[in-house]
C-alpha cells in the first residue's frame, strides 16, 4: 500500500516533542542552512518498534493468551513480493508476536484453508474473487481484503469491483473485515492526506522557529 504504516508511524514519532529522536547517531535537527537531507533509518525505527512489540507479546503470552497467528495470501511468484513477505516472517520470529504462513494464488484451496482457519488475521491480495470463504475463517478472525477484481454483476450485468473475500459470507463469522470497494483503498488515500498535512504543519513550525531564531540573533547582535 502507498502511505504505508511505516510512514504514519514515522510521522507520529518524529512529532513527539518529548522524545529525543536520533537516526544513524545524528540528532534529528532542521536548519535553514544545510547541504543535504538527514537520512532517516527505517531499520533503526523498525528495531525500536519490534522491541516494543516483543515486550507486548511476552506480556500477552504470560497472561495466558495464545500466541498471535498471521496468514498471508501471496500473489503469484513475484520475487519482490516473496522478499517483502519473507521479511515479515523473520520479523514475526524475531519478536515472538505471530506464526506467519505464506500462501499464493496457486496454493490448493484445501491446503490454503488449513492455514487460514488457524489465523487470527488473514490478509488477502491474490486477485481472485471469492478466494476466501466463510468456511476458511475461524470465528472472530480479522480479515483484510486488499484484492481488487472487476467482475460482471450477475443481476445488473454491469461491471463491479469485488475483493478476494466472500464478503457477505465471511462478515457473519469474522470480528473485523474490510469491504471492497470502501475498505483499504480509502484508508490509503486518507492516510496520505493526513500525512501530508502533518508534514506541512511541521515544516511551517520549523520555518517559524527559524524566523524567531534569526530575530533573536539580530537582537543579540545589536
Amino acid at each position: 500500500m502507498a502511505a504505508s504504516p511505516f510512514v504514519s508511524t514515522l510521522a507520529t514519532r518524529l512529532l513527539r516533542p518529548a522524545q529525543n529522536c536520533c537516526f544513524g547517531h545524528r540528532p534529528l535537527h532542521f536548519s535553514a542552512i544545510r547541504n543535504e537531507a538527514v537520512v532517516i533509518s527505517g531499520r533503526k525505527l523498525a528495531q525500536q518498534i519490534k522491541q516494543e512489540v516483543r515486550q507486548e507479546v511476552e506480556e500477552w503470552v504470560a497472561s495466558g493468551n495464545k500466541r498471535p497467528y498471521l496468514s498471508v495470501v501471496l500473489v503469484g511468484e513475484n520475487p519482490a513480493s516473496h522478499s517483502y513477505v519473507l521479511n515479515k516472517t523473520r520479523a514475526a520470529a524475531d519478536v515472538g508476536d505471530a506464526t506467519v504462513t505464506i500462501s499464493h494464488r496457486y496454493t490448493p484451496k484445501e491446503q490454503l484453508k488449513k492455514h487460514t482457519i488457524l489465523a487470527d488475521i488473514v490478509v488477502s491480495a491474490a486477485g481472485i474473487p471469492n478466494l476466501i470463504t466463510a468456511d476458511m475463517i475461524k470465528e472472530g478472525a480479522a480479515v483484510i481484503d486488499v484484492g481488487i477484481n472487476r467482475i460482471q454483476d450477475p443481476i445488473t450485468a454491469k461491471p463491479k469491483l469485488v475483493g478476494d473475500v466472500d464478503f457477505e459470507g465471511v462478515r457473519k463469522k469474522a470480528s473485523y473485515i474490510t469491504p471492497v470497494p470502501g475498505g483499504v483503498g480509502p484508508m490509503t488515500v486518507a492516510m496520505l492526506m493526513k500525512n501530508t498535512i502533518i508534514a506541512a504543519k511541521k515544516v511551517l513550525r520549523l520555518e517559524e522557529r527559524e524566523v524567531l531564531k534569526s530575530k533573536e540573533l539580530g537582537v543579540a547582535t545589536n
Side-chain angles (χ1 to χ4, degrees):
M1 287 186 290
S4 66
F6 167 74
V7 177
S8 55
T9 300
L10 177 59
T12 300
R13 287 170 186 263
L14 289 180
L15 288 168
R16 288 179 183 172
Q19 184 170 330
N20 181 25
C21 299
C22 293
F23 296 98
H25 305 292
R26 293 177 62 185
L28 184 64
H29 67 282
F30 297 87
S31 172
I33 304 174
R34 64 169 183 259
N35 296 324
E36 60 183 23
V38 176
V39 177
I40 298 174
S41 173
R43 289 189 177 91
K44 290 184 180 297
L45 179 59
Q47 286 300 325
Q48 178 184 343
I49 293 172
K50 286 195 289 185
Q51 179 57 40
E52 294 171 2
V53 174
R54 187 181 297 113
Q55 182 176 344
E56 287 187 46
V57 170
E58 290 173 358
E59 293 173 356
W60 173 263
V61 174
S63 298
N65 298 297
K66 289 194 309 178
R67 199 168 293 275
Y69 189 103
L70 173 66
S71 182
V72 178
V73 180
L74 191 63
V75 182
E77 300 294 335
N78 188 310
S81 297
H82 278 272
S83 175
Y84 188 68
V85 176
L86 179 59
N87 288 336
K88 288 178 170 57
T89 305
R90 289 171 176 167
D94 183 39
V95 302
D97 65 321
T99 301
V100 180
T101 303
I102 305 168
S103 303
H104 52 74
R105 64 188 305 162
Y106 300 113
T107 301
K109 193 149 187 175
E110 284 307 310
Q111 184 178 340
L112 178 62
K113 180 179 177 179
K114 290 179 182 178
H115 299 315
T116 57
I117 199 70
L118 297 174
D120 300 300
I121 304 172
V122 175
V123 182
S124 182
I128 301 177
N130 293 322
L131 174 65
I132 305 299
T133 52
D135 63 307
M136 301 171 69
I137 301 297
K138 75 175 184 180
E139 290 284 346
V143 181
I144 310 300
D145 193 350
V146 190
I148 299 179
N149 310 286
R150 189 178 295 276
I151 65 170
Q152 187 178 51
D153 190 301
I155 299 176
T156 66
K158 294 181 178 179
K160 71 173 185 176
L161 291 179
V162 298
D164 291 350
V165 177
D166 173 16
F167 183 78
E168 293 302 327
V170 173
R171 71 184 304 184
K172 299 173 184 176
K173 200 170 182 181
S175 59
Y176 297 94
I177 187 172
T178 60
V180 176
V184 172
M187 277 300 299
T188 299
V189 176
M191 288 308 300
L192 176 60
M193 299 302 103
K194 183 175 181 179
N195 290 333
T196 300
I197 189 61
I198 287 173
K201 289 181 178 179
K202 187 169 182 64
V203 169
L204 179 59
R205 285 198 297 268
L206 293 170
E207 290 175 348
E208 290 173 344
R209 289 177 192 171
E210 290 299 330
V211 171
L212 181 60
K213 186 184 298 183
S214 298
K215 289 181 178 178
E216 291 174 347
L217 287 174
V219 171
T221 302
N222 294 332

